[in-house]
Amino acid sequence: MRLFPTTEKKNKKLCLLLMSLLIIVVLFSGCWDWMELNDITIISGIGLDETEEQGKIRLTVQVIRPAALSGGGGDTGGTKGGGGLGGDETQAVRLLTTTGETVFQAIRNLGTQASHRLFLSHTHVVVISREAAEKGIYRFIDFFARDTEPRPNIRVLIAEREAGEIMRHASGVESIPALGLYRAVQTAALNALAPDITLQDAKIRLASETTELVAPLTKLYVEEGIDGEKKTRVDVAGTAVFRGDKMVGTLNKKETRGLHWILDKVKTGIIVIEHAGGKQSLEIVKAESKITPEIRDNELVVKIKLDVNTILGDQQCVKILTEPDEIALLEEKQTAEIRTEITGAIKKAQELKADIFGFGDEFHRKYPEQWKKLEQHWVELFPGIKIELEIKSDIKGTGAIREPVYRLR
Amino acid sequence: MLRFLSRLRNLSFLLKEKNNDKNSNFKAQQLTADLNKNIKLFRQVLGDSSDVIIRQFKLARGGTSAALIFLDGLVDKKQINDHILRPLMVHSQTSFFGTLKKLKDSFIFIDDISELKDFGKIVSAVLEGKAVLLVDGSASALVIDVKGWEQRAIEEPDTEGGVRGPREGFTENIRTNIALLRRIIRDPALTFYHLRLGNKTKKDISIAYIKGVVRDSLIAEVKFRLNKIETDAVLESGYIEQLIDDNPFSPFPTIANSEKPDKVAAKLLEGRAAILVDGTPFVLTVPMLFIESFQHPEDYYVHPYFGTFMRWVRYISFALSILSPAYFVALSSFDHELIPTPLLISMAAAREGTPFPAVLEALLMIIVFEILREASIRMPRSFRAGGKYRRRPGDRTGGCICRSNRACYGDRYLPYCCRHFYCASSDRCRYNFALCSAFWSRSVRPVWCDHHTA
């Protein structure tokens, strides 16, 4: 094969020119958005607060310092200096704080502090303070939904007090506090102690006409570290309930699990019941729920069918609980406990007039014709919905032993 | 510089011509009936080389004069003494009877023997390792095949390993190689077509194929291409490969080579042709498809599941080795959002303090790998045997990659491979350069730094 089919000098030159142009076009087209890894500052978490000055946003971002994470350096963020992030130079992250009129402006205002371009694709959590959330959350969310860098799986959390403080303190064992918080939300949700709400979930719930937003609650607590010093840590538990984009109340841990039962999101967890003079733990191994809305002569009814399997996880009494009669009793009490949790959650939600369960969407799907009328009055209708619970709960196992190893002598 | 080079070229041209002058006209010479004249002729052509042996003797205890000419080292002396000299000197008849036929028929106990008149052919027979018998009164010579020289035994090839399958590999001797193929394919259809290449080297080349399996046009094409070769030297099958390649500009090979008889036999059975070249254990097979790079006879020796798995491993590792540096560059320079956060952090940590872009790092890495590879192949065995030197380069790089997840270690590891590179010559250069740079900095720096120090 001949590279240049013509022998004429002129054409050869033209061919060479074209070839070199082609090579340049192919090889150099990537240069315009070339950004080396050490030219970006990775934001791991963002805290959003209201400033004292009306309408302004205070932004606290946690940026990763890779150098501190690679051997030597600070391998443990947030374990030094009385629970704070302490000795700044050895820390895996650094905090940058600024204010702005909007979230986007505030992020760009960080340009005066960050050494490199800020990079949002590896942001894991966005924490918004309760105070700010009560005034409306959408002004914080829109930027993260609209911008192309943040991922849809960012976890959205509500801080009991200041969001910036949450950014300052460590959670779990991760060296990057925001990553620890991200994992903590997932672990809490696994045990149905807090909802696991991603940015995508938040967008869907905000977009819905009736289904209201929920978000995990996070707060600081103080504990004594192994060196005897008081450390401030971050804790994720409970649910923030919204109406529209404004936070209106909270659910405690039990009510949070009630919410999860209805949403069919319980993966595991412990049900504690009092029985035979002690407390017995039952570990949830399977939970399935089904919601069926019904309209019965001008009354809205939601039928919730729940199927729960548990195993006996831990007993405090010395009675043999594995007898069929005892099991039946335990199952009965377990059913009652689940019923309490569900009704508690529903009662709270109805009090707050916030349809966090998505009942409205269920009615919409099943009764599209009637829904047009229902929709306009949903806020008034929701508190009046009648709930019919049908709980089937079984104890399927007793763990590695059947009878307690210790008996009264 | 250019002038020097062109002068050099002229000079070499002259040298070549001189050589040609000396040797090219011998083909025109003719043998005569006079033995002494003939011997003189041989002396003239073969020169004063010490390995040329011209043994003069008399037939049948003092009869006609005769001479045996051969090259020391290329012939089997035992055969010459026992089967040529002894019968001729002791048993043959006194008188010479005009032709060499009687000698050939009755007194020389060697299988391959022929009577030649063409002086050029006789000389090349001597150079091949045959013995030439000249008898006074005859204008022709007997060319007797008594080839026999030291050769490597059949060994396991270094370049192509395997777990299961025959261990033997081709040697430098084409006869042995042909025998190795014959032993695998015992079929009369297995054919070897012989020819010689190289004006100076006159290499034995053999095209092997199985009649009825191979396409005739392929054999015709191979013969056509080989016969068209006009060259002075064929030192290795690589010469032939490059001379008959389909597409010399392509980086992809169109001719495969192997050291293993079972592999070549497998390809012959698939209808390919093999080209055996004397003096190298690498046998060429044509045509070659790209996919053959991933195939190995061992795939057929093991269980099909495992063979298929191994082949897929090869495909995948091919893709990985081709694409991974590119992916590394793409991810670390453009698409940071695609990297999992923990990996991103450790990559960013590794990049901290490196002044070069990832592209340069990746290129540097590839080049360093090439240097290490070249150094480890080319390094004299005595350096390697110690173990200490041998293990170092690979170990260090491998460990380094694992430990720090970084691509840029050229700065640290170049000195290592330099240390291993060749031996004395490069060492000497290095010292010279080191000394030069020391002198340079000593003499220049004070001038620059005057205002700093003052």
Side-chain angles (χ1 to χ4, degrees):
Chain A
M1 192 198 85
R2 298 183 59 182
L3 231 49
F4 307 110
T6 169
T7 47
E8 279 176 58
K9 238 183 181 170
K10 218 165 142 192
N11 282 346
K12 226 173 193 175
K13 263 189 180 165
L14 192 74
C15 269
L16 267 172
L17 186 75
L18 283 175
M19 284 279 278
S20 46
L21 272 177
L22 191 75
I23 288 170
I24 288 169
V25 165
V26 170
L27 292 186
F28 292 78
S29 60
C31 290
W32 70 275
D33 62 345
W34 180 0
M35 185 75 70
E36 287 297 334
L37 268 180
N38 38 6
D39 294 335
I40 54 169
T41 296
I42 307 158
I43 297 179
S44 58
I46 296 178
L48 294 162
D49 290 295
E50 289 245 285
T51 52
E52 292 76 24
E53 201 183 327
Q54 199 56 40
K56 267 201 159 186
I57 291 164
R58 195 173 76 240
L59 180 80
T60 311
V61 300
Q62 210 178 68
V63 296
I64 297 173
R65 298 180 60 232
L69 278 161
S70 67
D75 51 337
T76 49
T79 54
K80 287 172 194 147
L85 287 180
D88 223 25
E89 289 318 306
T90 59
Q91 291 305 322
V93 293
R94 196 170 277 173
L95 286 187
L96 304 175
T97 309
T98 189
T99 57
E101 301 288 341
T102 64
V103 178
F104 207 176
Q105 193 199 29
I107 284 175
R108 286 296 167 90
N109 281 349
L110 282 173
T112 58
Q113 300 169 23
S115 50
H116 301 296
R117 203 181 81 95
L118 291 161
F119 191 60
L120 278 161
S121 285
H122 287 272
T123 305
H124 281 73
V125 289
V126 172
V127 183
I128 299 163
S129 73
R130 180 172 186 163
E131 195 192 346
E134 279 168 353
K135 287 181 188 159
I137 199 177
Y138 190 68
R139 55 199 166 128
F140 302 118
I141 296 286
D142 188 80
F143 166 73
F144 295 101
R146 201 177 291 279
D147 196 73
T148 50
E149 269 185 17
R151 297 182 180 185
N153 68 348
I154 293 179
R155 263 49 180 189
V156 182
L157 292 98
I158 303 299
E160 293 263 337
R161 289 205 176 78
E162 261 186 73
E165 282 302 305
I166 301 287
M167 284 293 109
R168 186 156 285 134
H169 295 95
S171 167
V173 292
E174 296 272 353
S175 42
I176 297 162
L179 252 68
L181 190 56
Y182 176 78
R183 298 257 178 265
V185 177
Q186 289 171 323
T187 315
L190 186 73
N191 289 296
L193 299 170
D196 184 11
I197 296 293
T198 63
L199 182 65
Q200 187 65 19
D201 296 332
K203 281 193 295 200
I204 290 167
R205 281 177 175 257
L206 281 168
S208 164
E209 297 282 341
T210 55
T211 308
E212 300 293 0
L213 180 64
V214 287
L217 273 175
T218 175
K219 63 175 189 298
L220 297 176
Y221 69 100
V222 177
E223 68 169 17
E224 203 169 292
I226 42 169
D227 49 2
E229 281 179 54
K230 291 263 185 273
K231 313 247 172 185
T232 311
R233 297 277 159 81
V234 176
D235 168 45
V236 180
T239 308
V241 179
F242 289 74
R243 196 162 65 228
D245 76 329
K246 293 182 176 60
M247 180 172 163
V248 288
T250 60
L251 300 184
N252 62 21
K253 282 186 195 174
K254 276 200 169 183
E255 291 158 349
T256 301
R257 186 151 74 193
L259 169 69
H260 281 77
W261 287 125
I262 297 167
L263 294 177
D264 192 16
K265 285 212 172 143
V266 176
K267 297 268 182 298
T268 183
I270 305 299
I271 300 169
V272 178
I273 51 173
E274 296 216 19
H275 179 71
K279 288 175 179 164
Q280 331 300 346
S281 315
L282 296 158
E283 184 193 354
I284 304 158
V285 290
K286 187 196 116 180
E288 281 174 12
S289 77
K290 198 172 160 23
I291 303 172
T292 325
E294 260 179 45
I295 301 179
R296 288 186 207 145
D297 33 278
N298 275 343
E299 197 180 35
L300 299 177
V301 180
V302 172
K303 277 164 93 176
I304 301 171
K305 219 175 142 185
L306 193 64
D307 186 3
V308 182
N309 286 350
T310 60
I311 54 172
L312 181 61
D314 151 28
Q315 74 176 60
Q316 285 186 344
C317 64
V318 291
K319 206 172 171 189
I320 299 170
L321 296 177
T322 48
E323 298 296 327
D325 300 351
E326 293 289 336
I327 293 282
L329 272 174
L330 278 176
E331 281 173 350
E332 208 172 280
K333 287 189 176 173
Q334 172 178 268
T335 308
E337 177 65 24
I338 295 169
R339 187 182 295 274
T340 320
E341 285 175 4
I342 293 174
T343 45
I346 288 170
K347 204 176 141 231
K348 191 67 165 281
Q350 286 181 332
E351 272 172 24
L352 296 171
K353 295 184 180 169
D355 176 13
I356 52 177
F357 312 106
F359 289 160
D361 288 339
E362 297 289 338
F363 276 103
H364 187 179
R365 264 194 285 276
K366 191 165 176 191
Y367 302 102
E369 285 305 310
Q370 289 94 318
W371 176 248
K372 283 170 194 156
K373 265 193 278 168
L374 294 176
E375 193 184 0
Q376 281 133 32
H377 315 288
W378 189 250
V379 182
E380 292 89 58
L381 286 171
F382 174 72
I385 289 177
K386 230 184 109 192
I387 305 291
E388 280 177 13
L389 276 175
E390 190 191 327
I391 302 171
K392 183 174 163 286
S393 84
D394 297 309
I395 294 171
K396 290 285 188 187
T398 61
I401 54 170
R402 278 171 63 83
E403 293 153 11
V405 286
Y406 171 72
R407 309 253 183 88
L408 278 183
R409 298 184 180 108
Chain B
M1 186 72 188
L2 258 169
R3 256 167 77 190
F4 173 73
L5 276 178
S6 65
R7 237 155 69 196
L8 206 74
R9 211 178 58 183
N10 284 341
L11 209 67
S12 65
F13 188 62
L14 276 175
L15 275 173
K16 240 180 183 170
E17 237 177 15
K18 240 181 181 173
N19 268 341
N20 281 349
D21 272 346
K22 195 181 158 193
N23 279 344
S24 58
N25 55 1
F26 74 84
K27 282 176 185 160
Q29 303 281 349
Q30 285 291 322
L31 284 181
T32 57
D34 185 350
L35 177 67
N36 286 333
K37 268 191 183 168
N38 287 346
I39 291 175
K40 219 182 233 166
L41 201 58
F42 271 100
R43 283 243 162 83
Q44 217 173 27
V45 172
L46 294 173
D48 310 322
S49 299
S50 56
D51 61 336
V52 179
I53 292 177
I54 301 178
R55 171 76 161 89
Q56 284 175 276
F57 61 98
K58 300 255 192 279
L59 294 178
R61 303 172 198 264
T64 320
S65 297
L68 195 65
I69 303 168
F70 56 88
L71 291 179
D72 194 15
L74 290 186
V75 296
D76 184 356
K77 286 228 172 147
K78 201 171 149 41
Q79 281 197 40
I80 288 195
N81 295 339
D82 291 355
H83 306 314
I84 303 175
L85 288 180
R86 182 195 293 266
L88 286 177
M89 287 161 85
V90 179
H91 304 300
S92 64
Q93 285 148 334
T94 329
S95 60
F96 175 64
F97 20 79
T99 70
L100 296 167
K101 195 169 183 315
K102 182 78 179 166
L103 292 179
K104 189 170 106 181
D105 288 351
S106 310
F107 297 103
I108 297 172
F109 310 152
I110 302 285
D111 53 356
D112 187 357
I113 190 163
S114 55
E115 193 177 335
L116 287 180
K117 274 201 163 70
D118 185 340
F119 185 65
K121 275 188 184 165
I122 295 169
V123 168
S124 44
V126 172
L127 294 170
E128 252 175 67
K130 291 180 176 173
V132 170
L133 179 70
L134 298 170
V135 179
D136 198 19
S138 166
S140 59
L142 279 183
V143 175
I144 311 158
D145 189 353
V146 282
K147 280 182 211 164
W149 51 77
E150 291 303 317
Q151 65 179 68
R152 198 165 62 97
I154 295 173
E155 287 165 10
E156 187 174 356
D158 277 341
T159 53
E160 287 166 271
V163 178
R164 187 154 177 189
R167 295 261 176 262
E168 57 188 16
F170 287 122
T171 69
E172 281 74 10
N173 187 331
I174 191 169
R175 296 287 144 208
T176 316
N177 294 350
I178 287 173
L180 283 170
L181 286 177
R182 274 265 184 237
R183 264 169 46 198
I184 297 175
I185 307 168
R186 291 174 180 169
D187 194 288
L190 176 63
T191 315
F192 293 92
Y193 173 85
H194 184 261
L195 70 154
R196 245 175 224 179
L197 282 181
N199 295 334
K200 295 257 177 283
T201 56
K202 299 197 178 61
K203 278 277 172 211
D204 284 313
I205 314 277
S206 206
I207 307 169
Y209 55 93
I210 303 175
K211 256 186 207 154
V213 175
V214 74
R215 197 153 38 88
D216 292 335
S217 57
L218 172 71
I219 296 305
E221 178 70 23
V222 172
K223 283 178 185 168
F224 172 71
R225 288 196 196 180
L226 284 179
N227 284 322
K228 256 178 72 177
I229 293 176
E230 183 67 46
T231 180
D232 265 0
V234 173
L235 299 183
E236 214 270 343
S237 50
Y239 281 52
I240 302 214
E241 184 178 336
Q242 284 153 53
L243 285 167
I244 65 167
D245 208 350
D246 285 324
N247 195 345
F249 292 109
S250 165
F252 298 101
T254 50
I255 296 171
N257 66 71
S258 175
E259 266 193 277
K260 285 174 81 83
D262 59 326
K263 195 168 173 179
V264 172
K267 292 198 172 172
L268 289 179
L269 290 164
E270 281 171 4
R272 290 189 171 82
I275 302 167
L276 294 87
V277 178
D278 191 35
T280 176
F282 290 92
V283 171
L284 307 176
T285 51
V286 286
M288 185 217 185
L289 303 177
F290 181 62
I291 204 76
E292 276 176 60
S293 323
F294 302 99
Q295 295 168 346
H296 192 274
E298 204 178 312
D299 299 347
Y300 298 94
Y301 303 157
V302 296
H303 193 276
Y305 293 145
F306 188 66
T308 312
F309 171 70
M310 285 320 295
R311 233 179 232 185
W312 274 103
V313 167
R314 275 176 229 145
Y315 296 146
I316 292 164
S317 25
F318 168 73
L320 275 181
S321 65
I322 294 288
L323 300 175
S324 51
Y327 270 113
F328 171 75
V329 172
L331 291 181
S332 72
S333 306
F334 298 98
D335 304 307
H336 310 122
E337 64 275 5
L338 292 180
I339 314 171
T341 311
L343 182 62
L344 178 85
I345 293 166
S346 62
M347 274 168 74
R351 288 209 44 86
E352 195 102 357
T354 49
F356 305 119
V359 190
L360 210 63
E361 277 195 2
L363 285 179
L364 212 64
M365 175 186 71
I366 294 167
I367 291 164
V368 168
F369 262 127
E370 291 301 320
I371 292 172
L372 286 177
R373 195 177 66 98
E374 183 66 12
S376 69
I377 296 170
R378 231 54 76 180
M379 195 162 46
R381 252 172 237 285
S382 53
F383 278 81
R384 273 190 266 173
K388 179 179 151 204
Y389 283 95
R390 185 187 189 166
R391 299 191 64 85
R392 215 72 180 263
D395 282 4
R396 296 296 299 202
T397 24
C400 174
I401 296 164
C402 298
R403 210 167 38 246
S404 64
N405 307 334
R406 64 190 293 190
C408 183
Y409 44 83
D411 47 346
R412 267 185 254 166
Y413 293 95
L414 263 173
Y416 267 107
C417 44
C418 285
R419 187 173 302 164
H420 297 290
F421 222 122
Y422 303 121
C423 44
S425 61
S426 71
D427 266 6
R428 241 167 274 148
C429 285
R430 206 165 68 232
Y431 294 135
N432 288 344
F433 282 128
L435 284 174
C436 283
S437 70
F439 276 119
W440 181 80
S441 49
R442 276 276 156 247
S443 55
V444 177
R445 213 191 307 145
V447 182
W448 283 357
C449 302
D450 263 353
H451 57 281
H452 288 296
T453 45

